[in-house]
Amino acid sequence: MTTTTLNPTTDHRGPVTGRERALAPDLIRGAMLLLIGLANSANFAFAGQPGVESTPHGFERILNFLKLTFVDARAYPVFAVMFGYGLVQLARRQQASGAGNSVVRRILVKRNAWLIVFGLAHATLLYFGDFLGAYGVVGIICTLFLLNRGDKFHRIALGIWAFMALETLFVAAKAAATIITSSGPAHALTNSPNPSLAATSYVGSLVDRLHEYPLHAASVIPFIVIVWLGIWAARKQLLENPTAHKTLLTRVAVGCLGITFLGGLPLALIGAGWMHVDQAAVDSASLLSHVSGMFGGPGYVALFGLIVARIRKQSLPVRAISALGQRSLSGYLFQSVSWMILLAPFTLDLRFGSTAYTAALVAIGVWIISVVAAYAMSRRSYRGPAETLLRRLVY
């Protein structure tokens, strides 16, 4: 297989300036941090996954339904797509500055190695459900084996996604049959407990996280397929000029979001208490929700690409959310610090009244604070603490 270099889009090394950045990637990262927050704060609040009220009443039913339809297993694939997209953007900037393939490879490997370190620290100190370490491993694999391949090779990623769509239809058919023939005692959707989130002391939670993190990291590394799709999209520069790719983005948004939302619907109805089925049907609906959730990555990315294509003048909210997207690493880590302080049993433990309400309100509040803080940093031309540290370690 022959190799090829990436098409350069800038003429310097290092991070691009605010004027040179494409809006869509930053807006996507900043906005989707809200969904990441809604998922992770609920996990903290319920000390388990998927972080829903098992006996919902009133508005709790709506919260469960919305979370299971639009958030769970649907938010993190967006960042997987954008991670692959970012790998190509970083490589282009290095090549545009005159760096050869070996130099680019060395910088990207070093950056991803430090992400593994960040992830290990994050998982040990704050939250077992870390993705940074897995991103680092996947980033090294992609740098060494995928980035410099030709266009024909990257079309394999599209073939894999076509196969995954067929697999999802098969899982959907099996889930439908299991739900229709459900005859046993009705089972509610319950949370699988995470000991680190229920620990009554910080030291106890730390020990539990050391046991939980390796298995979690290993379970998410297969999202390399989603990252690969982001690499393909970046090579086509779909988000740098979304207007020119409006037809493709529309098809991806409609098709992928249709799959992901319909796939999550059965579990959402069960979680909301509007559909009563036996345990086998609950398990089948859960599998369908997980499998179909992967399509939320390209679906949400395409949707935001279409939104950006319609933006003629950037409003203050758009600029502020994009500023958070430029500092998504800091925003992500800030969320985990917030959950630890606000929701852990050994800190403020603000889980009062309805846990579902508390988790949602805390997530929205923390996201808004991070948006305001990121915008203030952008006004002062400050990259963000995590981004600054990572840049110093890499360069």
Side-chain angles (χ1 to χ4, degrees), residues 137-156:
V137 173
V138 169
I140 290 174
I141 295 173
C142 291
T143 298
L144 297 179
F145 301 106
L146 294 181
L147 280 186
N148 285 328
R149 297 282 189 166
D151 287 340
K152 290 183 179 180
F153 178 84
H154 286 287
R155 290 173 191 164
I156 296 175

Side-chain angles (χ1 to χ4, degrees), residues 11-313:
D11 57 0
H12 60 87
R13 182 175 300 190
V16 293
T17 65
R19 292 183 178 181
E20 294 169 322
R21 296 184 72 105
L23 172 62
D26 292 333
L27 186 62
I28 292 168
R29 293 185 181 99
M32 296 307 295
L33 273 175
L34 173 59
L35 299 194
I36 293 293
L38 289 169
N40 290 342
S41 66
N43 291 346
F44 254 92
F46 286 97
Q49 302 176 73
V52 295
E53 180 60 61
S54 57
T55 56
H57 297 88
F59 192 66
E60 291 174 341
R61 297 179 183 270
I62 304 296
L63 289 178
N64 279 7
F65 180 83
L66 294 176
K67 184 173 183 292
L68 292 167
T69 304
F70 301 106
V71 178
D72 286 358
R74 283 140 182 78
Y76 85 82
V78 176
F79 282 90
V81 173
M82 296 312 300
F83 181 74
Y85 208 100
L87 285 176
V88 175
Q89 290 180 311
L90 286 168
R92 280 182 180 145
R93 288 202 294 272
Q94 296 300 323
Q95 291 179 341
S97 70
N101 284 344
S102 61
V103 175
V104 173
R105 187 180 301 112
R106 184 169 63 251
I107 290 174
L108 291 181
V109 167
K110 186 177 181 181
R111 185 179 190 276
N112 285 289
W114 276 113
L115 275 184
I116 296 174
V117 176
F118 273 54
L120 180 60
H122 176 224
T124 302
L125 300 176
L126 296 171
Y127 182 44
F128 83 96
D130 167 79
F131 277 83
L132 299 178
Y135 281 149
V137 173
V138 169
I140 290 174
I141 295 173
C142 291
T143 298
L144 297 179
F145 301 106
L146 294 181
L147 280 186
N148 285 328
R149 297 282 189 166
D151 287 340
K152 290 183 179 180
F153 178 84
H154 286 287
R155 290 173 191 164
I156 296 175
L158 302 181
I160 293 175
W161 276 86
F163 174 79
M164 291 169 60
L166 293 176
E167 179 188 27
T168 302
L169 291 176
F170 174 77
V171 174
K174 186 175 180 179
T178 306
I179 291 172
I180 292 172
T181 59
S182 173
S183 58
H187 280 259
L189 179 61
T190 57
N191 295 300
S192 299
N194 290 114
S196 67
L197 302 181
T200 56
S201 71
Y202 179 73
V203 173
S205 71
L206 188 150
V207 173
D208 287 331
R209 282 192 294 275
L210 289 175
H211 287 88
E212 294 170 351
Y213 175 58
L215 181 60
H216 168 77
S219 69
V220 299
I221 285 178
F223 70 24
I224 188 172
V225 175
I226 312 176
V227 173
W228 193 358
L229 190 66
I231 291 173
W232 175 85
R235 292 174 66 88
K236 299 298 180 183
Q237 297 186 307
L238 297 187
L239 297 180
E240 279 80 359
N241 187 11
T243 303
H245 302 283
K246 189 177 294 186
T247 299
L248 175 60
L249 292 174
T250 300
R251 291 173 180 172
V252 172
V254 172
C256 289
L257 291 181
I259 292 173
T260 203
F261 294 157
L262 291 175
L265 188 59
L267 189 66
L269 292 172
I270 295 170
W274 293 330
M275 185 165 68
H276 304 281
V277 293
D278 60 24
Q279 186 63 57
V282 174
D283 293 340
S284 293
S286 180
L287 176 61
L288 174 59
S289 178
H290 181 76
V291 172
S292 62
M294 293 183 290
F295 290 87
Y300 275 126
V301 168
L303 176 62
F304 273 92
L306 292 171
I307 292 173
V308 168
R310 297 180 64 87
I311 294 177
R312 296 293 175 263
K313 183 179 180 180

Side-chain angles (χ1 to χ4, degrees), residues 30 33 316-325 327 331 334 364-380 382:
L33 273 175
L316 177 59
V318 169
R319 296 198 304 273
I321 295 173
S322 298
L324 177 59
R327 297 157 181 83
F334 171 70
I364 294 171
V366 167
W367 180 76
I368 291 174
I369 291 172
S370 65
V371 168
V372 173
Y375 183 68
M377 291 179 197
S378 71
R379 297 278 293 178
R380 292 165 175 77
Y382 178 60

